[in-house]
Amino acid sequence: MVGLTRRAGGTGETGVITARSLNRSTLARQLLLDREPVSTTDALRQVVALQAQQPASPYIALWNRLAGFTPGDLDAAVSGREAVKATLMRITLHLVHAEDYRTFREAMEPTLRGSRLGDARFRASGLTAADADTLVPQLLTYADRPRTAAALQSHLEERLGAPLELSAWRMLRQYVPLWHAPAEAPWLFNTRLSYVAASGRPALTDPDAAAAGLRILVRRYLAGFGPASVADVAQFSLVRRDRVKAALQALTDGLVQLAGPDGTVLYDLPDAPRPAEDTPAPPRLMAMWDSILLAYADRGRVIPPAYRKLVIRMNGDVLPTLLVDGYVAGVWRPADGGIEATAFHPLPDEAWKELAAEARSLIAFLADRDPAPYRRYDHWWTKGLPAAETRLLPGD
């Protein structure tokens, strides 16, 4: 249970929160205690961002969270540019509400600039950050409508009068504020990449905009993932801890401070939900790279430590997981005849029954798009995964 007390001489609160209450707080804010009857765009604002380098994953993530969600709901949001996909937190692809993009991108500017324009592969091309500042507006003007990656690179090389190494071009492309342009079904985004200039251009190289953006991003992160520590915010965003500390300091008077299970100081919004630790948590079949698996320095909030390396692989792949009682209990993949579920420890019959119901719903959800969206990752199963039990959960 959570106990909160007023902090002497301050406007915030202090208290203690258990590990299970932290888990339930994450599930509540990530819409995983119940499928919620909210719109796709409202859900995107609530969950902050959906990691999106695998095309099907944002769809499956929203299927896990929303009542009555269909692939067409996200298609409409993407096609209408209400939801956009771009390089943001952790220097990887996320799907966010279009109205959040500019602020989030400004918050991430120092990280993206340092990691992309400071990368040895970019510098080896002979280009400098100052050169990039000249080239970015030209690229954005050219990308006033969807352009393929090859077309953008050719345009850049014409400006430079020389070819550019692919790795250097990739660094620059990830820095430029570009959105991924939607492609054809099944999932609107695929490996044939096209880009379009972001509307509502973020301010680049502006420290004040970056600081203001980070304060907003930190507050939104706490709303979607809190309570959380400085290290958690830094892990979610890949922003330097000193910048995170400064943002939290600026927000301190409006925040609650809690002591985590190990005594770590956790920050939160005063009125954010912190359910009791005995709150029921229904089983879920989570998407690859689901945000709850990656949003914390302490992955034990959702992933038992013994299972971390089984689901987060050395190359960065994050396997689709079974969530049972709020924690990762195994992995799943589509298979002939249904969903193959591999449990890392014995599960009660009731959990298997509920997972089977989830599997039937997921199979129906995928049927008209791609029944096996993660087939290219099957090699992780052939290399062997420890299993207390493996079951085929049929779609019938």
Side-chain angles (χ1 to χ4, degrees):
M1 304 292 288
V2 182
L4 294 179
T5 57
R6 285 285 174 187
R7 185 179 59 194
T11 58
E13 295 175 323
T14 60
V16 178
I17 188 166
T18 67
R20 283 185 63 86
S21 289
L22 281 176
N23 171 270
R24 280 357 189 213
S25 295
T26 294
L27 299 182
R29 300 179 202 195
Q30 286 292 303
L31 311 180
L32 289 167
L33 289 180
D34 288 296
R35 285 187 168 91
E36 299 291 342
V38 300
S39 70
T40 297
T41 50
D42 286 347
L44 276 177
R45 300 301 294 271
Q46 173 58 39
V47 302
V48 188
L50 296 173
Q51 197 156 326
Q53 68 265 49
Q54 209 292 329
S57 283
Y59 290 82
I60 298 174
L62 290 170
W63 165 80
N64 269 304
R65 290 164 166 84
L66 300 184
F69 175 74
T70 69
D73 297 333
L74 184 53
D75 290 348
V78 170
S79 298
R81 293 194 180 180
E82 295 177 283
V84 299
K85 178 177 174 179
T87 300
L88 286 167
M89 286 69 72
R90 296 190 299 281
I91 320 177
T92 194
L93 293 170
H94 281 85
L95 190 77
V96 300
H97 195 291
E99 293 178 3
D100 289 330
Y101 172 78
R102 178 174 180 170
T103 300
F104 290 178
R105 178 60 180 80
E106 288 172 345
M108 293 302 303
E109 164 66 10
T111 297
L112 288 167
R113 187 176 182 85
S115 66
R116 302 299 85 175
L117 304 187
D119 189 283
R121 291 166 291 182
F122 180 76
R123 290 186 284 109
S125 71
L127 293 175
T128 65
D131 293 328
D133 293 338
T134 299
L135 294 168
V136 166
Q138 299 173 13
L139 283 167
L140 290 174
T141 297
Y142 180 64
D144 61 343
R145 59 183 184 275
R147 305 284 190 178
T148 66
L152 283 169
Q153 184 176 358
S154 295
H155 177 80
L156 174 63
E157 290 173 343
E158 288 178 9
R159 305 280 83 72
L160 295 172
L164 187 63
E165 285 289 332
L166 183 60
S167 57
W169 159 236
R170 185 168 64 251
M171 295 299 108
L172 181 60
R173 188 181 72 224
Q174 291 172 349
Y175 174 70
V176 179
L178 295 167
W179 293 345
H180 283 230
E184 297 177 355
W187 307 114
L188 286 197
F189 296 113
N190 56 36
T191 56
R192 297 184 297 278
L193 299 180
S194 294
Y195 302 88
V196 65
S199 61
R201 307 268 175 92
L204 305 181
T205 69
D206 181 339
D208 291 338
L214 184 58
R215 289 193 293 272
I216 294 170
L217 177 58
V218 167
R219 190 174 182 87
R220 290 288 304 283
Y221 170 80
L222 293 178
F225 292 97
S229 67
V230 169
D232 291 329
V233 181
Q235 168 62 35
F236 169 77
S237 59
L238 210 60
V239 166
R240 291 197 324 263
R241 291 191 186 190
D242 62 324
R243 292 189 64 218
V244 172
K245 288 179 182 178
L248 284 166
Q249 184 62 40
L251 297 169
T252 294
D253 286 346
L255 301 180
V256 170
Q257 290 188 32
L258 305 170
D262 62 355
T264 299
V265 175
L266 305 176
Y267 299 87
D268 203 8
L269 305 180
D271 299 325
R274 290 183 288 274
E277 61 182 27
D278 58 355
T279 301
R284 291 286 186 261
L285 300 173
M286 304 300 287
M288 288 194 76
W289 285 284
D290 195 277
S291 297
I292 65 167
L293 307 182
L294 298 165
Y296 304 101
D298 179 8
R299 305 289 172 80
R301 186 178 297 210
V302 178
I303 309 174
Y307 301 158
R308 177 173 173 173
K309 291 184 179 180
L310 300 178
V311 300
I312 302 178
R313 310 304 296 197
M314 289 294 291
N315 72 336
D317 286 349
V318 180
L319 303 187
T321 55
L322 310 177
L323 209 64
V324 177
D325 189 31
Y327 294 91
V328 169
V331 295
W332 65 269
R333 61 173 174 168
D336 290 342
I339 298 292
E340 180 186 290
T342 298
F344 297 149
H345 60 258
L347 301 179
D349 289 342
E350 184 62 24
W352 281 115
K353 180 179 177 181
E354 292 176 318
L355 285 169
E358 290 293 300
R360 288 192 293 272
S361 176
L362 179 57
I363 290 165
F365 178 83
L366 296 174
D368 292 337
R369 293 296 178 99
D370 182 357
Y374 299 142
R375 62 176 66 83
R376 62 175 292 194
Y377 303 98
D378 279 352
H379 61 91
W380 293 118
W381 279 257
T382 61
K383 292 176 181 178
L385 288 166
E389 186 174 7
T390 298
R391 294 191 184 186
L392 181 66
L393 306 177
D396 298 331

